Amino acid sequence: MHMADALVAPAVAGTMYACSAAAAAYSIKKVREDDDPKKIPVMGVMGAFVFATQMINFTIPGTGSSGHLCGGMLLTALLGPYAAFLTMIGVLLIQCLLFADGGLLALGCNIWNMAFYGCFLGAFLIWRPMMKKGMSRAKIIVASVIGCMLSLQFGAFSVTLETLVSGITELPFTTFVATMQPIHLAIGLVEGLITAAVLLFVYEARPELLQSSQEKKSRMSLKGTIVALFVAAVVIGGGVSLFASSHPDGLEWSIEKITGSTELEADSDVYDSAADIQEKTALLPDYAFKNSDSTLGTTFSGIVGGVVVIAVCVGACYAFRFFRKRKVS
């Protein structure tokens, strides 16, 4: 669902940057009030895990489309809404700058569409109310599926609103909505099932990592759980990503159904400047070596991207002095 710059007018992009920055500033304030240093390694490794899983597009049968995880619902169940939102910003920032996935001008939109709904609506409307009276495997599955489907519906609708306000006439609002919402309902269902599988693993291995978890005996140490998730991120990003679906994702597929192309063109100095900056920062564009079709580039991108996300998330925790009151036990 990463929007390209051509889908948003500069004024809309600026507004969404401001909205996302305000949510980030409030999240930083709330996270600073938290006192759980265990979240530092969890933010890093789960950021890498979400980054890796977003490289895997899964085919939506019978449509010619594909989808991938957004990850907000997964992170909010593990980290709470505020730390999850900041972790998602780290993932989307690295994707944009290092891999040119999503436009630089549209980054504020992408943070809002892909991170805000999953982290905040997922936490306050779904996860916390459902887990308030205790957690169970069935509740985890139901919350994951409903949360992912709901947050993707909001995210997809937000995309259509942003293009409407931007005056993107190639995408008539009612037609765009009628195309975007159903395909992201299917993508949300698959994301919900994958999210549930990961959360069930954590629930069995280290249940106290889950937000609102009640007392339940851990089967793995914190270190063991972190290592297992890190290994999964490396395997997914470096290996499984080679088998990602080649079909366009839900947003590209919707645009293609309406305009005949997966991309729109925009021509002005603002778009050109953003593209020039992104070209300089994107050392591995489209998760590959520049000017190369080698699959080694995808593997390299999956592993290096995950490591960079860990460095950014953990580095931010120390730079902003998160969770500084206690040491990890």
Side-chain angles (χ1 to χ4, degrees):
M1 201 192 294
H2 298 76
M3 294 179 75
D5 284 348
L7 295 177
V8 289
V12 175
T15 301
M16 296 312 298
Y17 257 109
C19 292
S20 295
Y26 186 71
S27 296
I28 289 173
K29 176 179 179 295
K30 296 297 290 184
V31 166
R32 276 180 168 166
E33 295 173 359
D34 202 350
D35 186 21
D36 189 357
K38 292 192 296 297
K39 286 185 179 178
I40 295 177
V42 179
M43 286 176 70
V45 76
M46 288 310 300
F49 187 87
V50 168
F51 170 84
T53 55
Q54 286 196 10
M55 289 182 67
I56 306 175
N57 278 44
F58 44 81
T59 296
I60 304 300
T63 64
S65 172
S66 68
H68 62 70
L69 268 72
C70 279
M73 187 68 200
L74 174 63
L75 291 178
T76 205
L78 287 161
L79 298 166
Y82 308 109
F85 186 67
L86 297 177
T87 302
M88 281 292 295
I89 290 177
V91 173
L92 292 167
L93 184 66
I94 296 304
Q95 289 175 333
C96 177
L97 294 179
L98 190 55
F99 302 98
D101 192 3
L104 181 59
L105 198 64
L107 180 59
C109 297
N110 288 326
I111 290 172
W112 191 266
N113 302 338
M114 298 176 66
F116 181 85
Y117 297 114
C119 295
F120 291 102
L121 294 187
F124 294 115
L125 292 186
I126 306 297
W127 187 262
R128 289 185 178 179
M130 287 192 66
M131 305 303 167
K132 188 176 181 180
K133 294 184 178 179
M135 191 173 292
S136 68
R137 295 178 186 83
K139 284 185 177 180
I140 290 172
I141 295 171
V142 173
S144 298
V145 171
I146 293 176
C148 289
M149 293 176 73
L150 181 67
S151 59
L152 253 68
Q153 286 298 289
F154 273 90
F157 190 67
S158 187
V159 169
T160 61
L161 283 180
E162 288 155 3
T163 57
L164 172 66
V165 178
S166 296
I168 308 299
T169 56
E170 297 93 332
L171 299 170
F173 180 66
T174 54
T175 306
F176 197 25
V177 167
T179 311
M180 282 282 285
Q181 301 304 136
I183 194 65
H184 283 92
L185 197 64
I187 294 170
L189 173 61
V190 179
E191 174 173 359
L193 294 174
I194 296 172
T195 298
V198 177
L199 294 181
L200 285 174
F201 163 74
V202 176
Y203 180 65
E204 295 298 333
R206 196 78 184 180
E208 70 268 29
L209 286 179
L210 293 175
Q211 297 292 303
S212 305
S213 177
Q214 306 297 314
E215 290 187 8
K216 183 176 183 296
K217 187 176 180 181
S218 300
R219 296 186 179 182
M220 292 180 67
S221 64
L222 173 62
K223 182 178 179 181
T225 305
I226 295 293
V227 168
L229 291 169
F230 175 74
V231 170
V234 170
V235 171
I236 293 170
V240 183
S241 60
L242 296 174
F243 304 98
S245 171
S246 59
H247 293 311
D249 69 15
L251 174 57
E252 295 169 334
W253 176 84
S254 298
I255 295 173
E256 186 175 35
K257 293 278 281 185
I258 298 170
T259 68
S261 172
T262 58
E263 297 181 358
L264 300 180
E265 297 292 334
D267 186 18
S268 78
D269 291 342
V270 175
Y271 295 105
D272 293 342
S273 297
D276 288 343
I277 294 172
Q278 200 171 22
E279 185 176 355
K280 290 182 175 63
T281 63
L283 302 179
L284 295 163
D286 296 324
Y287 304 94
F289 296 134
K290 285 186 177 180
N291 305 316
S292 171
D293 294 328
S294 171
T295 56
L296 185 60
T298 303
T299 298
F300 184 79
S301 297
I303 296 173
V304 168
V307 171
V308 173
V309 168
I310 291 174
V312 168
C313 291
V314 174
C317 287
Y318 287 103
F320 288 99
R321 297 185 178 183
F322 296 159
F323 321 119
R324 59 181 176 176
K325 295 180 181 177
R326 295 186 312 205
K327 295 181 178 179
V328 181
S329 59

